[in-house]
Amino acid sequence: MKKIRTILVSVEEADFGLFLRLLQGNLLFHLPNQSKGQKNMFKTIIEPRVSETDGVGHINNTTIPIWFEAGRNKLFKLFTPDSSFENWKMIILNMNVDYVDQIYFGKDTEVYTWVKRIGNTSLELYEEIRQDNRLCAKGTAVYVNHDVKKGKSEVIPEDIRSELEKHRYSENVE
Amino acid sequence: MKKIRTILVSVEEADFGLFLRLLQGNLLFHLPNQSKGQKNMFKTIIEPRVSETDGVGHINNTTIPIWFEAGRNKLFKLFTPDSSFENWKMIILNMNVDYVDQIYFGKDTEVYTWVKRIGNTSLELYEEIRQDNRLCAKGTAVYVNHDVKKGKSEVIPEDIRSELEKHRYSENVE
Amino acid sequence: MKKIRTILVSVEEADFGLFLRLLQGNLLFHLPNQSKGQKNMFKTIIEPRVSETDGVGHINNTTIPIWFEAGRNKLFKLFTPDSSFENWKMIILNMNVDYVDQIYFGKDTEVYTWVKRIGNTSLELYEEIRQDNRLCAKGTAVYVNHDVKKGKSEVIPEDIRSELEKHRYSENVE
Amino acid sequence: MKKIRTILVSVEEADFGLFLRLLQGNLLFHLPNQSKGQKNMFKTIIEPRVSETDGVGHINNTTIPIWFEAGRNKLFKLFTPDSSFENWKMIILNMNVDYVDQIYFGKDTEVYTWVKRIGNTSLELYEEIRQDNRLCAKGTAVYVNHDVKKGKSEVIPEDIRSELEKHRYSENVE
């Protein structure tokens, strides 16, 4: 049986939203067999490049955010169907990455992207990178639906919202 | 006066350490005027490159971890004085970035690196990127002192530890 | 029998270097329908990433050498079957790129890699990048078969040589 | 009066392209002590980043074009004084790089940028990368002065032209 520890936390009102998000991130940490039975994610195959390795001999840590961003292409297309930067919408607010295991050059790698939380104007993703079925990196990314031309954030439209729902990370799947 | 909200949190024992770190991250968020009065950090000047921008017109989000890593060069040298990869020690475990404001091509940018926490074998950094004295990004990075040849983590030696202390982020400075 | 071509060149001294380069570029350029009928190349599909664009709105020029290198993965595997850096062989000597047309985010892109010339220890590649069947970039790369551990260049072995022959760029195909 | 050079070239058809390129490379190559006495170039100091190395243990070849582009920042500013992408002018047409020697992590590196040739609408640069006074890479880049909004190339204005003249690579300096 898992031991539970309880703590009383006091946070400033203004920080409460962020705090809850961090808590959520924490919850993720002990989801057993994270992507098991989760079939509705976006999946992107990455062929590692020599230029993405570093002197230590593996994929450099700064490559991971690049691959995670590559894995979001279908999401970007949902918000900007013509893929133009004039109509760009998705602006990143936060990124968190746990480096779990080494990634090697010479083997295909998978990026998995789930929708973790859909807010009013924002959106949180849960992402994993796996190689040979080993979990190598996982993390979250928070985006806001921001109209670059108008310079303001906008409510995520219903049609996009229902499309996003199809790629939800389900916390109840075993 | 700032409103305070209190919440009771229950976490599994195994996740407690991570949870505390996330809390610390949260605390950082409302430190007023973060780098004010903090003079002991590592400071690196970055001249933005065209290749580091993206189609939206600013520095791309994946460039930020690259710049933060560039800002850690003096720390890497502390652990690996000959800068060789055979003797490399610093392996990253976690990275968290808050994207606060846009960064523009054509203006020098500063990366600030503080030591936030020194553990037994690990080390947490607090980092900021500023342009024209605007806070543009901030984040944390957790590293472990790992001997690549022996394949195991090692206690951070005393001489390095006392050097790290000189670059501590002080939470009490106004 | 090999055809010999003779040419008398008269240029201003100051322009001599550029002239030769342009001439060479031009020779490549007006090969009619370059990749038409050339079926033996290595072909790699690239899905452009936001991080690979720049503020002007297209794929940045520094991304092209990265994609060309990505297109050489099967060649690297030929020289280093275990994909390890301890046994790495292919060291680049020269790279030449002609930027022919813009490459857009949002559309798959193809990298074509041919073997143009096989020397004693070295190897020249001819490479193209195409999007929507438009030629966007083309270039050459010269590599040497260099044993990193012994620190010396080595003759390209017969078995690799015959494999390379299968991917020859044929200048006589219409 | 301009010196004219004439040369009769006979090569095997198959080797013709390569021959011209090598010839050109060679012309550049045996300029005695290339940057000796050349003081009018743009000079940019680069601090190598871990993310710019690769598994072989040195700076990856795809980093070189990125550093060369970084070295052109002052030129970009000459053509686009406000550093905005709406007013961007400099579009690359060709890049050629000779990889001469390894570049190591842990040591500052210099990028030198000269103006090699000023055409009507275009411009050729000669560039070098040096570490510890070792020549590590050299190359050329051809740019055109292209008005992105109007979609057409334009004559390089006189004021820019005279500024460029100050950074000329002089072939007669010993």
Side-chain angles (χ1 to χ4, degrees):
Chain A
M1 208 202 76
K2 284 181 177 172
K3 260 176 72 184
I4 297 292
R5 208 151 142 177
T6 302
I7 181 173
L8 187 71
V9 184
S10 296
V11 225
E12 286 180 18
E13 176 74 39
D15 294 337
F16 201 71
L18 179 67
F19 175 73
L20 287 185
R21 195 174 53 67
L22 292 179
L23 266 190
Q24 271 186 295
N26 186 260
L27 283 177
L28 269 183
F29 190 75
H30 55 72
L31 281 172
N33 303 310
Q34 294 179 45
S35 59
K36 279 263 183 62
Q38 303 271 0
K39 296 208 162 67
N40 50 343
M41 66 285 174
F42 297 102
K43 181 178 172 181
T44 307
I45 307 290
I46 302 270
E47 188 183 341
R49 303 169 181 173
V50 176
S51 58
E52 295 170 333
T53 63
D54 67 22
V56 182
H58 314 110
I59 297 299
N60 181 261
N61 70 84
T62 67
T63 302
I64 303 308
I66 293 170
W67 288 1
F68 275 145
E69 192 189 55
R72 296 168 204 144
N73 268 351
K74 289 197 185 67
L75 273 168
F76 296 154
K77 200 160 184 68
L78 205 56
F79 282 84
T80 306
D82 68 356
S83 294
S84 79
F85 293 110
E86 298 83 63
N87 298 317
W88 200 259
K89 293 295 171 57
M90 291 275 275
I91 302 294
I92 197 166
L93 296 184
N94 177 273
M95 170 174 57
N96 189 74
V97 180
D98 281 320
Y99 295 93
V100 180
D101 207 349
Q102 295 298 357
I103 305 177
Y104 299 90
F105 173 74
K107 288 177 172 186
D108 276 2
T109 306
E110 294 111 39
V111 178
Y112 298 95
T113 313
W114 286 270
V115 176
K116 191 175 178 304
R117 207 177 50 88
I118 310 172
N120 200 28
T121 62
S122 73
L123 173 74
E124 187 176 23
L125 305 174
Y126 170 65
E127 302 165 312
E128 290 184 359
I129 291 177
R130 290 179 172 269
Q131 193 179 50
D132 286 342
N133 211 25
R134 273 181 311 116
L135 178 66
C136 298
K138 63 190 174 67
T140 55
V142 181
Y143 274 86
V144 64
N145 179 36
H146 186 85
D147 189 298
V148 173
K149 271 185 287 195
K150 298 181 193 160
K152 66 189 188 68
S153 299
E154 295 187 333
V155 172
I156 298 173
E158 271 313 313
D159 58 331
I160 293 181
R161 197 175 290 267
S162 67
E163 196 57 41
L164 291 172
E165 286 290 354
K166 297 178 188 165
H167 303 279
R168 273 276 198 178
Y169 187 87
S170 163
E171 317 235 350
N172 301 319
V173 173
E174 288 187 41
Chain B
M1 209 202 76
K2 285 179 177 175
K3 261 175 71 185
I4 298 291
R5 209 149 142 178
T6 303
I7 179 174
L8 188 72
V9 184
S10 296
V11 227
E12 287 180 17
E13 178 71 41
D15 294 337
F16 201 71
L18 179 67
F19 175 73
L20 288 186
R21 195 176 53 67
L22 291 179
L23 265 190
Q24 270 187 296
N26 188 260
L27 283 177
L28 269 185
F29 189 74
H30 54 71
L31 281 173
N33 303 311
Q34 295 177 44
S35 59
K36 278 264 183 61
Q38 303 271 3
K39 296 206 162 68
N40 50 344
M41 66 285 176
F42 297 101
K43 182 176 171 182
T44 307
I45 307 290
I46 302 271
E47 188 183 341
R49 302 169 182 173
V50 176
S51 59
E52 295 171 333
T53 64
D54 67 21
V56 182
H58 313 109
I59 297 300
N60 181 261
N61 70 84
T62 67
T63 302
I64 303 308
I66 294 169
W67 288 2
F68 275 145
E69 193 189 53
R72 296 169 205 145
N73 268 351
K74 289 198 186 67
L75 273 166
F76 296 153
K77 200 161 184 66
L78 205 56
F79 283 83
T80 307
D82 69 355
S83 295
S84 78
F85 292 110
E86 296 85 62
N87 298 316
W88 200 258
K89 294 294 172 59
M90 292 275 275
I91 302 294
I92 197 165
L93 296 184
N94 177 272
M95 170 175 59
N96 189 74
V97 180
D98 281 320
Y99 295 94
V100 179
D101 207 350
Q102 296 295 358
I103 306 177
Y104 299 92
F105 173 75
K107 289 177 171 184
D108 275 2
T109 306
E110 292 112 41
V111 178
Y112 298 96
T113 312
W114 287 270
V115 176
K116 191 172 178 305
R117 206 177 51 88
I118 310 172
N120 200 28
T121 62
S122 74
L123 172 76
E124 187 177 22
L125 305 174
Y126 170 64
E127 302 165 312
E128 291 185 358
I129 290 177
R130 290 179 171 268
Q131 194 180 50
D132 288 342
N133 212 25
R134 273 181 310 115
L135 178 66
C136 298
K138 64 190 175 65
T140 55
V142 181
Y143 274 85
V144 64
N145 179 36
H146 187 86
D147 190 297
V148 173
K149 272 185 287 194
K150 299 181 195 161
K152 65 187 188 70
S153 300
E154 295 188 331
V155 173
I156 299 173
E158 269 314 312
D159 57 332
I160 293 181
R161 199 175 288 269
S162 67
E163 196 57 40
L164 291 172
E165 285 290 353
K166 297 177 188 165
H167 302 280
R168 273 275 198 179
Y169 186 87
S170 163
E171 315 235 353
N172 301 318
V173 173
E174 290 188 38
Chain C
M1 210 201 76
K2 283 181 178 175
K3 261 175 72 186
I4 297 292
R5 184 188 282 199
T6 303
I7 180 174
L8 186 71
V9 186
S10 294
V11 239
E12 284 180 19
E13 176 75 39
D15 293 338
F16 196 70
L18 180 67
F19 173 75
L20 289 186
R21 196 177 49 67
L22 290 180
L23 202 56
Q24 184 233 353
N26 205 36
L27 279 178
L28 280 180
F29 188 74
H30 56 59
L31 282 172
N33 303 309
Q34 293 175 49
S35 57
K36 276 263 183 63
Q38 303 271 2
K39 295 208 162 68
N40 50 342
M41 67 284 175
F42 297 102
K43 181 177 172 182
T44 307
I45 307 290
I46 303 270
E47 188 183 341
R49 303 169 180 172
V50 176
S51 59
E52 294 171 332
T53 64
D54 68 21
V56 182
H58 314 108
I59 296 301
N60 181 261
N61 70 84
T62 66
T63 302
I64 302 308
I66 293 169
W67 288 1
F68 275 145
E69 193 189 54
R72 295 169 205 144
N73 269 350
K74 288 197 186 68
L75 273 167
F76 295 154
K77 199 158 185 66
L78 205 56
F79 283 83
T80 307
D82 68 356
S83 294
S84 78
F85 293 111
E86 296 85 62
N87 298 317
W88 200 258
K89 294 294 173 58
M90 292 276 275
I91 302 293
I92 197 166
L93 296 184
N94 176 273
M95 169 174 59
N96 189 75
V97 180
D98 281 321
Y99 295 93
V100 180
D101 207 350
Q102 296 296 357
I103 305 176
Y104 299 91
F105 173 75
K107 288 177 171 184
D108 275 2
T109 306
E110 292 110 41
V111 178
Y112 298 96
T113 313
W114 286 270
V115 176
K116 191 174 178 305
R117 206 180 52 89
I118 310 173
N120 199 28
T121 62
S122 73
L123 172 75
E124 187 179 24
L125 306 174
Y126 170 65
E127 302 164 313
E128 292 184 359
I129 291 177
R130 292 180 171 266
Q131 193 180 50
D132 287 341
N133 211 25
R134 273 180 311 115
L135 178 66
C136 298
K138 64 192 174 64
T140 55
V142 181
Y143 275 85
V144 64
N145 179 36
H146 187 86
D147 190 298
V148 174
K149 273 185 286 195
K150 299 181 195 161
K152 65 188 188 69
S153 299
E154 296 187 331
V155 172
I156 299 174
E158 271 313 313
D159 57 331
I160 293 181
R161 198 176 289 267
S162 68
E163 195 59 39
L164 291 172
E165 286 290 354
K166 297 178 188 164
H167 302 279
R168 273 276 198 177
Y169 186 87
S170 163
E171 315 234 354
N172 301 319
V173 173
E174 288 189 42
Chain D
M1 207 202 78
K2 285 180 178 174
K3 262 175 71 185
I4 297 291
R5 184 187 281 199
T6 302
I7 180 174
L8 186 72
V9 185
S10 294
V11 238
E12 283 180 18
E13 176 76 38
D15 292 337
F16 197 69
L18 180 67
F19 174 76
L20 290 186
R21 195 175 52 66
L22 291 179
L23 202 57
Q24 185 231 350
N26 205 36
L27 279 177
L28 279 180
F29 189 74
H30 55 59
L31 282 172
N33 303 309
Q34 293 176 46
S35 58
K36 278 262 183 64
Q38 303 271 1
K39 296 207 162 66
N40 50 343
M41 67 284 175
F42 297 101
K43 182 179 172 181
T44 307
I45 307 289
I46 302 271
E47 188 183 342
R49 303 168 181 173
V50 176
S51 58
E52 294 170 333
T53 64
D54 67 22
V56 182
H58 315 109
I59 296 300
N60 181 261
N61 70 83
T62 67
T63 302
I64 303 308
I66 294 170
W67 288 2
F68 275 145
E69 192 189 54
R72 297 169 204 143
N73 268 351
K74 288 197 187 66
L75 273 168
F76 296 154
K77 199 159 185 67
L78 206 56
F79 282 83
T80 306
D82 68 356
S83 294
S84 78
F85 293 110
E86 297 84 63
N87 298 317
W88 200 258
K89 293 295 172 58
M90 291 276 275
I91 302 294
I92 198 166
L93 296 184
N94 176 274
M95 169 173 59
N96 190 74
V97 180
D98 281 321
Y99 295 93
V100 179
D101 207 349
Q102 295 297 357
I103 306 176
Y104 299 91
F105 174 74
K107 289 178 172 185
D108 275 3
T109 305
E110 292 111 41
V111 178
Y112 298 96
T113 314
W114 286 270
V115 175
K116 191 173 179 302
R117 207 182 51 89
I118 310 172
N120 200 28
T121 62
S122 73
L123 172 76
E124 188 178 24
L125 306 174
Y126 171 66
E127 303 164 312
E128 290 184 0
I129 291 177
R130 290 180 173 268
Q131 194 180 50
D132 287 342
N133 211 26
R134 273 181 312 114
L135 178 65
C136 298
K138 65 191 173 64
T140 55
V142 180
Y143 275 86
V144 63
N145 179 35
H146 187 86
D147 189 298
V148 174
K149 271 185 288 196
K150 298 181 194 161
K152 66 188 188 69
S153 299
E154 295 187 333
V155 173
I156 299 173
E158 270 314 312
D159 57 332
I160 293 181
R161 199 174 288 266
S162 67
E163 195 58 39
L164 291 172
E165 285 290 354
K166 297 177 189 166
H167 303 279
R168 271 279 197 177
Y169 186 87
S170 164
E171 316 235 353
N172 301 319
V173 173
E174 290 188 41

